[in-house]
Amino acid sequence: MAPAPPPLLEGRKRRIAMMTSGGDSPGMNGAIRAVVRMAIEKGCEAYCVYEGYEGLVQGENFIRKFEWPDVRGWLSEGGTLIGTARCMAFYERPGRLKAAKNMVLNGIDALIICGGDGSLTGADKFRAEWPGLLHELVEKKELAAEQVEPFKHLNIVGLVGSIDNDMSGTDATIGCYSALSRICEMVDYIEATASSHSRAFVIEVMGRHCGWLALMAGVATGADFVFIPEKPRAENWRDEMCKIVARHRQIGKRKTIVIVAEGAHDQDGNKISPEMIKDLLADKTGLALDTRITTLGHVQRGGVACAYDRYLATLQGVEAVKAVLEATPETPTPFIAITENKICRKPLVQAVLDTKEVAKAIEAHDFDRAMSLRDTEFSDIYDSYMTTTTTDLNDAMRLPPQKHMRIAIIHVGAPAGGVNAATRAAVAYCLTRGHTPIAIHNGFAGFVRHHDDKPLGSVREFDWLEVDNWASKGGSEIGMNRELPKDSGMETVAALFKQYNFDGLFLIGGFEAFHALSQLRQAREKYSSLCIPMTLLPATISNNVPGTEYSLGSDTCLNELVRYCDTIKQSASASRRRVFVIETQGGRSGYIATLAGLAVGAVAVYTPEEGISIDMLAADIKHLKQVFKEDSGQSRAGRLILINEKASPVYHAKLIADMIRQEAQNRFETRDALPGHVQQGGTPSPMDRTRAVRLAIKCIEHLEKYEDRADSTILGDPQSSTVIGIKGASVVFTAMKDVEEHETDWPNRRPKNEFWLGLKDVVDVLSGRPEVPRPE
Ligand code: ATP
């Protein structure tokens, strides 16, 4: 017998149901956790629908109530723990009718669906038909009119979970960066063997209508050629590919990597298969390359979510619940998107239409339209890729000789993932345009030492071959240190700028690089050789550079931290009752501690911005005691507290661990842990690599704008010394003067307004941390 319908909405809690649908993607569990806990936090009841639309159609045990502890530890699980399925019945109205009936019978008035464009199309259809479905249920006497009355407005919110990143209107879908990480990891492995044997590899990746994975993997790994569905190569693609590959071999490359999306085709719509590419490379390049095909297949879906997918899923899950609660009958059904760094709600109907348009445009061979329907980042990355792979073959991009510049590249600060990728891209772009890219080795200290006692080697022109394999390299290949120009001697620095006749300076680095640029800018009045355009690409794991919300290397760092925390948490699975206090780096910025806390579900995060007090510790210890008292031992792993290295001058990780241990009195164990330099990361993450390429090219383009400016114009133009940054939904160059004066907290070496501060509350809410006393 069907369950009795719930009483009317008034006087009872709202019921929000969560569902995953379509292909699984890493991060879906993080979204479920966030939705369930946020719903409960907001006084609602949380439900999960198992097996996607199939569960909604079948009802009964497929729709289950969830409590707070039910999603414990889900952040670090791959796939979806509530299952997903393709459901044929839901394509048809009778199936949707059953689904509507089950929704009403279970008292569910809001549905949050995490899935790809198909699932969200289904959701949109369901929403559009909803009044008709209810009417039909009443007419057929399956439900009484008063039963359906409280459910007149179906509240649906979409979360885009898909590894393909094929949904229009959002820069990233939940799971796409994890899939990209997997692909890049595989390509990195293949590269080593390809290089050893001087082989060519054709690697097929997922993407029927969307080339995001193929394109990003191509950029992140520095592949020789990429095929994507939205932008088929020119008619003579065979010759084009062979020419580029032959050229790369001619300048000394020992490996060839071609990445092809499964939906790749030529301009007439004929499929381009890996076999076709293989045959060409083996026969037509004139090099008879020993060529192998690797189809990556389902490994792309597998595994745990990367840090980005975890906090994206978490923040979007939280936003989805808010969207449900704020919706009125007039609100258009939203889905939760991200544009650059900003999470926002957008109309689902439009996104679904735009996404379908891409497929239609591809079918109609209107490729310009297909590209225009993708997001800015996509076309930016495509252009970046094109300008960095063809270098001397790209005549259309070459500037006339009078516009060529001598552009110096320097790394300042501590290594961070993506620094080399940015340098590689800048060098390749410079060469494509006809500029001379010049390496300054070992920061300002190296630059000046060269002047003193090392006449050769510290300053020299880059060549393409040396940087070609830097796309995936960690550290800094030209060396970096923290010394500032004033410490090295500004006069010497200025004299060297003159001696080498630099026309532009590209700095990559963290807060020291920012400080260095500030010093150079201020010394311009005195030294005319410094009156050249200068721009900084922030790169530091701490993500504390003013003028941007994202620094290269911070994503790599977060991934390392998340891996570390997962491992350490897992190590507690035997004893179960263990708290780890983990000290993170980050200087005086609590960014990485907070974001890692968000990605691993830490019970508390201590940051320098907030500080630590004895009352706060006492409250947290009390909370932990309560948690372990209530936990009968069924939860699988330990609890984590993250503390930034400078959160307090007194309370450090070991001391806090000791205090907890003392108070726990053997009811649970406590350990402190120090990941240290592991946080700089080995291989940079794909996000750091691809953003490095995109932003580095923008930086050189910015410098190019000053190619014929006189010293005096440069001096009077604030935009001639800038920091590039991602701010909210945009990528912007901000004048250093403004950033220095208005956005910088100099004593604490961090931005004045850190965009992420509010995220700490999300960590607390989702981990169930009670209100604790904050330090004065
Ligand atoms: P992926 O990214 O893996 O392709 P997806 O969500 O696009 O994910 P689909 O298989 O297209 O995956 O859709 C999942 C389910 O959503 C389908 O099995 C079906 O139940 C429902 N669905 C998809 N499209 C529609 C539609 N047009 N009308 C009704 N239901 C649909």
Side-chain angles (χ1 to χ4, degrees), residues 286-314:
L287 301 161
L289 294 175
D290 179 1
T291 307
R292 308 293 161 102
I293 295 174
T294 301
T295 301
L296 292 182
H298 279 77
V299 290
Q300 294 166 82
R301 275 193 198 284
V304 298
C306 67
Y308 180 81
D309 280 332
R310 293 188 196 193
Y311 63 75
L312 181 71
T314 301

PDB file of all heavy atoms in Angstrom, residues 286-314:
ATOM      1  N   GLY A 286      56.861  11.564 -43.110  1.00  0.00           N
ATOM      2  CA  GLY A 286      58.196  11.429 -43.672  1.00  0.00           C
ATOM      3  C   GLY A 286      59.162  10.907 -42.620  1.00  0.00           C
ATOM      4  O   GLY A 286      60.344  10.723 -42.874  1.00  0.00           O
ATOM      5  N   LEU A 287      58.617  10.646 -41.430  1.00  0.00           N
ATOM      6  CA  LEU A 287      59.485  10.216 -40.338  1.00  0.00           C
ATOM      7  C   LEU A 287      59.220   8.758 -39.957  1.00  0.00           C
ATOM      8  O   LEU A 287      59.924   8.198 -39.144  1.00  0.00           O
ATOM      9  CB  LEU A 287      59.241  11.087 -39.102  1.00  0.00           C
ATOM     10  CG  LEU A 287      59.477  12.578 -39.290  1.00  0.00           C
ATOM     11  CD1 LEU A 287      58.788  13.370 -38.204  1.00  0.00           C
ATOM     12  CD2 LEU A 287      60.964  12.864 -39.280  1.00  0.00           C
ATOM     13  N   ALA A 288      58.178   8.198 -40.534  1.00  0.00           N
ATOM     14  CA  ALA A 288      57.766   6.821 -40.231  1.00  0.00           C
ATOM     15  C   ALA A 288      57.751   6.595 -38.719  1.00  0.00           C
ATOM     16  O   ALA A 288      58.467   5.762 -38.175  1.00  0.00           O
ATOM     17  CB  ALA A 288      58.700   5.833 -40.927  1.00  0.00           C
ATOM     18  N   LEU A 289      56.947   7.383 -38.027  1.00  0.00           N
ATOM     19  CA  LEU A 289      56.953   7.313 -36.567  1.00  0.00           C
ATOM     20  C   LEU A 289      56.338   6.004 -36.066  1.00  0.00           C
ATOM     21  O   LEU A 289      55.296   5.578 -36.555  1.00  0.00           O
ATOM     22  CB  LEU A 289      56.167   8.496 -35.985  1.00  0.00           C
ATOM     23  CG  LEU A 289      56.768   9.881 -36.217  1.00  0.00           C
ATOM     24  CD1 LEU A 289      55.829  10.971 -35.695  1.00  0.00           C
ATOM     25  CD2 LEU A 289      58.128  10.004 -35.558  1.00  0.00           C
ATOM     26  N   ASP A 290      56.998   5.435 -35.099  1.00  0.00           N
ATOM     27  CA  ASP A 290      56.469   4.254 -34.435  1.00  0.00           C
ATOM     28  C   ASP A 290      55.307   4.751 -33.563  1.00  0.00           C
ATOM     29  O   ASP A 290      55.520   5.396 -32.543  1.00  0.00           O
ATOM     30  CB  ASP A 290      57.588   3.654 -33.573  1.00  0.00           C
ATOM     31  CG  ASP A 290      57.126   2.435 -32.810  1.00  0.00           C
ATOM     32  OD1 ASP A 290      55.949   2.050 -32.966  1.00  0.00           O
ATOM     33  OD2 ASP A 290      57.941   1.870 -32.064  1.00  0.00           O
ATOM     34  N   THR A 291      54.081   4.465 -34.007  1.00  0.00           N
ATOM     35  CA  THR A 291      52.923   5.115 -33.387  1.00  0.00           C
ATOM     36  C   THR A 291      52.013   4.116 -32.683  1.00  0.00           C
ATOM     37  O   THR A 291      51.731   3.039 -33.217  1.00  0.00           O
ATOM     38  CB  THR A 291      52.113   5.867 -34.471  1.00  0.00           C
ATOM     39  OG1 THR A 291      52.998   6.723 -35.176  1.00  0.00           O
ATOM     40  CG2 THR A 291      50.994   6.695 -33.860  1.00  0.00           C
ATOM     41  N   ARG A 292      51.572   4.476 -31.477  1.00  0.00           N
ATOM     42  CA  ARG A 292      50.665   3.612 -30.708  1.00  0.00           C
ATOM     43  C   ARG A 292      49.392   4.390 -30.357  1.00  0.00           C
ATOM     44  O   ARG A 292      49.431   5.604 -30.247  1.00  0.00           O
ATOM     45  CB  ARG A 292      51.317   3.160 -29.394  1.00  0.00           C
ATOM     46  CG  ARG A 292      52.692   2.549 -29.551  1.00  0.00           C
ATOM     47  CD  ARG A 292      52.598   1.241 -30.290  1.00  0.00           C
ATOM     48  NE  ARG A 292      53.894   0.858 -30.844  1.00  0.00           N
ATOM     49  CZ  ARG A 292      54.691  -0.063 -30.308  1.00  0.00           C
ATOM     50  NH1 ARG A 292      54.317  -0.654 -29.192  1.00  0.00           N
ATOM     51  NH2 ARG A 292      55.826  -0.383 -30.872  1.00  0.00           N
ATOM     52  N   ILE A 293      48.335   3.612 -30.182  1.00  0.00           N
ATOM     53  CA  ILE A 293      47.062   4.240 -29.789  1.00  0.00           C
ATOM     54  C   ILE A 293      46.744   3.854 -28.351  1.00  0.00           C
ATOM     55  O   ILE A 293      46.883   2.692 -27.971  1.00  0.00           O
ATOM     56  CB  ILE A 293      45.913   3.763 -30.696  1.00  0.00           C
ATOM     57  CG1 ILE A 293      46.150   4.234 -32.132  1.00  0.00           C
ATOM     58  CG2 ILE A 293      44.555   4.244 -30.181  1.00  0.00           C
ATOM     59  CD1 ILE A 293      45.147   3.705 -33.129  1.00  0.00           C
ATOM     60  N   THR A 294      46.333   4.816 -27.553  1.00  0.00           N
ATOM     61  CA  THR A 294      45.850   4.514 -26.201  1.00  0.00           C
ATOM     62  C   THR A 294      44.469   5.134 -26.040  1.00  0.00           C
ATOM     63  O   THR A 294      44.313   6.338 -26.201  1.00  0.00           O
ATOM     64  CB  THR A 294      46.795   5.091 -25.132  1.00  0.00           C
ATOM     65  OG1 THR A 294      48.087   4.537 -25.316  1.00  0.00           O
ATOM     66  CG2 THR A 294      46.305   4.753 -23.728  1.00  0.00           C
ATOM     67  N   THR A 295      43.492   4.280 -25.753  1.00  0.00           N
ATOM     68  CA  THR A 295      42.140   4.797 -25.490  1.00  0.00           C
ATOM     69  C   THR A 295      41.931   4.755 -23.981  1.00  0.00           C
ATOM     70  O   THR A 295      41.978   3.683 -23.380  1.00  0.00           O
ATOM     71  CB  THR A 295      41.090   3.923 -26.214  1.00  0.00           C
ATOM     72  OG1 THR A 295      41.405   3.955 -27.614  1.00  0.00           O
ATOM     73  CG2 THR A 295      39.675   4.463 -26.011  1.00  0.00           C
ATOM     74  N   LEU A 296      41.725   5.905 -23.381  1.00  0.00           N
ATOM     75  CA  LEU A 296      41.724   5.939 -21.913  1.00  0.00           C
ATOM     76  C   LEU A 296      40.448   5.366 -21.298  1.00  0.00           C
ATOM     77  O   LEU A 296      40.484   4.797 -20.219  1.00  0.00           O
ATOM     78  CB  LEU A 296      41.972   7.360 -21.411  1.00  0.00           C
ATOM     79  CG  LEU A 296      43.389   7.880 -21.693  1.00  0.00           C
ATOM     80  CD1 LEU A 296      43.569   9.281 -21.123  1.00  0.00           C
ATOM     81  CD2 LEU A 296      44.457   6.961 -21.113  1.00  0.00           C
ATOM     82  N   GLY A 297      39.323   5.514 -21.954  1.00  0.00           N
ATOM     83  CA  GLY A 297      38.081   4.888 -21.470  1.00  0.00           C
ATOM     84  C   GLY A 297      37.695   5.252 -20.052  1.00  0.00           C
ATOM     85  O   GLY A 297      37.856   6.403 -19.628  1.00  0.00           O
ATOM     86  N   HIS A 298      37.209   4.257 -19.303  1.00  0.00           N
ATOM     87  CA  HIS A 298      36.574   4.551 -18.011  1.00  0.00           C
ATOM     88  C   HIS A 298      37.517   4.995 -16.907  1.00  0.00           C
ATOM     89  O   HIS A 298      37.046   5.441 -15.869  1.00  0.00           O
ATOM     90  CB  HIS A 298      35.732   3.365 -17.567  1.00  0.00           C
ATOM     91  CG  HIS A 298      34.391   3.359 -18.245  1.00  0.00           C
ATOM     92  ND1 HIS A 298      34.255   2.950 -19.541  1.00  0.00           N
ATOM     93  CD2 HIS A 298      33.183   3.769 -17.823  1.00  0.00           C
ATOM     94  CE1 HIS A 298      32.989   3.083 -19.898  1.00  0.00           C
ATOM     95  NE2 HIS A 298      32.317   3.590 -18.870  1.00  0.00           N
ATOM     96  N   VAL A 299      38.835   4.874 -17.112  1.00  0.00           N
ATOM     97  CA  VAL A 299      39.706   5.397 -16.038  1.00  0.00           C
ATOM     98  C   VAL A 299      39.427   6.881 -15.833  1.00  0.00           C
ATOM     99  O   VAL A 299      39.641   7.427 -14.758  1.00  0.00           O
ATOM    100  CB  VAL A 299      41.231   5.239 -16.309  1.00  0.00           C
ATOM    101  CG1 VAL A 299      41.672   3.819 -16.237  1.00  0.00           C
ATOM    102  CG2 VAL A 299      41.667   5.908 -17.588  1.00  0.00           C
ATOM    103  N   GLN A 300      38.913   7.522 -16.892  1.00  0.00           N
ATOM    104  CA  GLN A 300      38.650   8.958 -16.793  1.00  0.00           C
ATOM    105  C   GLN A 300      37.562   9.276 -15.770  1.00  0.00           C
ATOM    106  O   GLN A 300      37.484  10.369 -15.248  1.00  0.00           O
ATOM    107  CB  GLN A 300      38.235   9.512 -18.157  1.00  0.00           C
ATOM    108  CG  GLN A 300      39.365   9.429 -19.169  1.00  0.00           C
ATOM    109  CD  GLN A 300      38.873   9.650 -20.582  1.00  0.00           C
ATOM    110  OE1 GLN A 300      38.700  10.763 -21.017  1.00  0.00           O
ATOM    111  NE2 GLN A 300      38.661   8.565 -21.314  1.00  0.00           N
ATOM    112  N   ARG A 301      36.686   8.328 -15.544  1.00  0.00           N
ATOM    113  CA  ARG A 301      35.614   8.550 -14.575  1.00  0.00           C
ATOM    114  C   ARG A 301      36.030   8.185 -13.164  1.00  0.00           C
ATOM    115  O   ARG A 301      35.422   8.610 -12.200  1.00  0.00           O
ATOM    116  CB  ARG A 301      34.418   7.632 -14.898  1.00  0.00           C
ATOM    117  CG  ARG A 301      33.510   8.201 -15.898  1.00  0.00           C
ATOM    118  CD  ARG A 301      32.221   7.410 -15.936  1.00  0.00           C
ATOM    119  NE  ARG A 301      31.538   7.707 -17.172  1.00  0.00           N
ATOM    120  CZ  ARG A 301      30.881   8.819 -17.396  1.00  0.00           C
ATOM    121  NH1 ARG A 301      30.805   9.740 -16.470  1.00  0.00           N
ATOM    122  NH2 ARG A 301      30.304   9.040 -18.557  1.00  0.00           N
ATOM    123  N   GLY A 302      37.043   7.330 -13.080  1.00  0.00           N
ATOM    124  CA  GLY A 302      37.309   6.660 -11.818  1.00  0.00           C
ATOM    125  C   GLY A 302      37.976   7.527 -10.779  1.00  0.00           C
ATOM    126  O   GLY A 302      38.398   8.649 -11.023  1.00  0.00           O
ATOM    127  N   GLY A 303      38.044   6.959  -9.597  1.00  0.00           N
ATOM    128  CA  GLY A 303      38.851   7.563  -8.551  1.00  0.00           C
ATOM    129  C   GLY A 303      38.161   8.640  -7.747  1.00  0.00           C
ATOM    130  O   GLY A 303      37.037   9.036  -8.025  1.00  0.00           O
ATOM    131  N   VAL A 304      38.897   9.102  -6.763  1.00  0.00           N
ATOM    132  CA  VAL A 304      38.331  10.107  -5.863  1.00  0.00           C
ATOM    133  C   VAL A 304      38.388  11.477  -6.544  1.00  0.00           C
ATOM    134  O   VAL A 304      39.139  11.684  -7.478  1.00  0.00           O
ATOM    135  CB  VAL A 304      39.098  10.151  -4.526  1.00  0.00           C
ATOM    136  CG1 VAL A 304      39.001   8.834  -3.803  1.00  0.00           C
ATOM    137  CG2 VAL A 304      40.555  10.544  -4.743  1.00  0.00           C
ATOM    138  N   ALA A 305      37.583  12.370  -6.028  1.00  0.00           N
ATOM    139  CA  ALA A 305      37.525  13.709  -6.611  1.00  0.00           C
ATOM    140  C   ALA A 305      38.763  14.519  -6.214  1.00  0.00           C
ATOM    141  O   ALA A 305      39.291  14.362  -5.119  1.00  0.00           O
ATOM    142  CB  ALA A 305      36.271  14.413  -6.126  1.00  0.00           C
ATOM    143  N   CYS A 306      39.199  15.375  -7.126  1.00  0.00           N
ATOM    144  CA  CYS A 306      40.300  16.282  -6.804  1.00  0.00           C
ATOM    145  C   CYS A 306      39.772  17.384  -5.873  1.00  0.00           C
ATOM    146  O   CYS A 306      38.560  17.514  -5.678  1.00  0.00           O
ATOM    147  CB  CYS A 306      40.896  16.863  -8.070  1.00  0.00           C
ATOM    148  SG  CYS A 306      39.767  17.961  -8.964  1.00  0.00           S
ATOM    149  N   ALA A 307      40.690  18.180  -5.338  1.00  0.00           N
ATOM    150  CA  ALA A 307      40.290  19.205  -4.359  1.00  0.00           C
ATOM    151  C   ALA A 307      39.244  20.150  -4.947  1.00  0.00           C
ATOM    152  O   ALA A 307      38.232  20.446  -4.308  1.00  0.00           O
ATOM    153  CB  ALA A 307      41.525  19.989  -3.916  1.00  0.00           C
ATOM    154  N   TYR A 308      39.469  20.583  -6.168  1.00  0.00           N
ATOM    155  CA  TYR A 308      38.555  21.561  -6.774  1.00  0.00           C
ATOM    156  C   TYR A 308      37.138  20.999  -6.861  1.00  0.00           C
ATOM    157  O   TYR A 308      36.172  21.674  -6.502  1.00  0.00           O
ATOM    158  CB  TYR A 308      39.051  21.946  -8.169  1.00  0.00           C
ATOM    159  CG  TYR A 308      38.164  22.951  -8.879  1.00  0.00           C
ATOM    160  CD1 TYR A 308      38.260  24.311  -8.591  1.00  0.00           C
ATOM    161  CD2 TYR A 308      37.233  22.543  -9.830  1.00  0.00           C
ATOM    162  CE1 TYR A 308      37.452  25.234  -9.230  1.00  0.00           C
ATOM    163  CE2 TYR A 308      36.420  23.466 -10.480  1.00  0.00           C
ATOM    164  CZ  TYR A 308      36.534  24.810 -10.179  1.00  0.00           C
ATOM    165  OH  TYR A 308      35.732  25.720 -10.815  1.00  0.00           O
ATOM    166  N   ASP A 309      37.013  19.751  -7.340  1.00  0.00           N
ATOM    167  CA  ASP A 309      35.669  19.173  -7.471  1.00  0.00           C
ATOM    168  C   ASP A 309      34.991  19.025  -6.118  1.00  0.00           C
ATOM    169  O   ASP A 309      33.767  19.128  -6.017  1.00  0.00           O
ATOM    170  CB  ASP A 309      35.729  17.823  -8.194  1.00  0.00           C
ATOM    171  CG  ASP A 309      35.840  18.021  -9.703  1.00  0.00           C
ATOM    172  OD1 ASP A 309      35.349  19.055 -10.191  1.00  0.00           O
ATOM    173  OD2 ASP A 309      36.439  17.171 -10.383  1.00  0.00           O
ATOM    174  N   ARG A 310      35.790  18.785  -5.090  1.00  0.00           N
ATOM    175  CA  ARG A 310      35.186  18.637  -3.763  1.00  0.00           C
ATOM    176  C   ARG A 310      34.656  19.968  -3.259  1.00  0.00           C
ATOM    177  O   ARG A 310      33.560  20.035  -2.716  1.00  0.00           O
ATOM    178  CB  ARG A 310      36.221  18.118  -2.774  1.00  0.00           C
ATOM    179  CG  ARG A 310      36.652  16.715  -3.094  1.00  0.00           C
ATOM    180  CD  ARG A 310      37.499  16.230  -1.964  1.00  0.00           C
ATOM    181  NE  ARG A 310      38.237  15.051  -2.357  1.00  0.00           N
ATOM    182  CZ  ARG A 310      38.867  14.284  -1.497  1.00  0.00           C
ATOM    183  NH1 ARG A 310      38.844  14.573  -0.222  1.00  0.00           N
ATOM    184  NH2 ARG A 310      39.519  13.232  -1.906  1.00  0.00           N
ATOM    185  N   TYR A 311      35.450  21.016  -3.371  1.00  0.00           N
ATOM    186  CA  TYR A 311      34.885  22.251  -2.813  1.00  0.00           C
ATOM    187  C   TYR A 311      33.886  22.893  -3.745  1.00  0.00           C
ATOM    188  O   TYR A 311      32.952  23.556  -3.314  1.00  0.00           O
ATOM    189  CB  TYR A 311      35.947  23.222  -2.266  1.00  0.00           C
ATOM    190  CG  TYR A 311      36.949  23.812  -3.211  1.00  0.00           C
ATOM    191  CD1 TYR A 311      36.589  24.826  -4.090  1.00  0.00           C
ATOM    192  CD2 TYR A 311      38.267  23.409  -3.198  1.00  0.00           C
ATOM    193  CE1 TYR A 311      37.524  25.403  -4.935  1.00  0.00           C
ATOM    194  CE2 TYR A 311      39.214  23.974  -4.047  1.00  0.00           C
ATOM    195  CZ  TYR A 311      38.838  24.974  -4.918  1.00  0.00           C
ATOM    196  OH  TYR A 311      39.757  25.528  -5.763  1.00  0.00           O
ATOM    197  N   LEU A 312      34.032  22.651  -5.062  1.00  0.00           N
ATOM    198  CA  LEU A 312      33.003  23.137  -5.989  1.00  0.00           C
ATOM    199  C   LEU A 312      31.669  22.459  -5.667  1.00  0.00           C
ATOM    200  O   LEU A 312      30.631  23.112  -5.529  1.00  0.00           O
ATOM    201  CB  LEU A 312      33.405  22.841  -7.438  1.00  0.00           C
ATOM    202  CG  LEU A 312      32.423  23.313  -8.495  1.00  0.00           C
ATOM    203  CD1 LEU A 312      32.454  24.838  -8.600  1.00  0.00           C
ATOM    204  CD2 LEU A 312      32.719  22.712  -9.867  1.00  0.00           C
ATOM    205  N   ALA A 313      31.725  21.134  -5.526  1.00  0.00           N
ATOM    206  CA  ALA A 313      30.498  20.380  -5.223  1.00  0.00           C
ATOM    207  C   ALA A 313      29.907  20.853  -3.901  1.00  0.00           C
ATOM    208  O   ALA A 313      28.688  21.012  -3.768  1.00  0.00           O
ATOM    209  CB  ALA A 313      30.816  18.887  -5.150  1.00  0.00           C
ATOM    210  N   THR A 314      30.763  21.085  -2.933  1.00  0.00           N
ATOM    211  CA  THR A 314      30.294  21.499  -1.612  1.00  0.00           C
ATOM    212  C   THR A 314      29.633  22.874  -1.684  1.00  0.00           C
ATOM    213  O   THR A 314      28.504  23.062  -1.227  1.00  0.00           O
ATOM    214  CB  THR A 314      31.481  21.523  -0.623  1.00  0.00           C
ATOM    215  OG1 THR A 314      32.043  20.216  -0.586  1.00  0.00           O
ATOM    216  CG2 THR A 314      31.044  21.943   0.760  1.00  0.00           C
TER     217      THR A 314
END
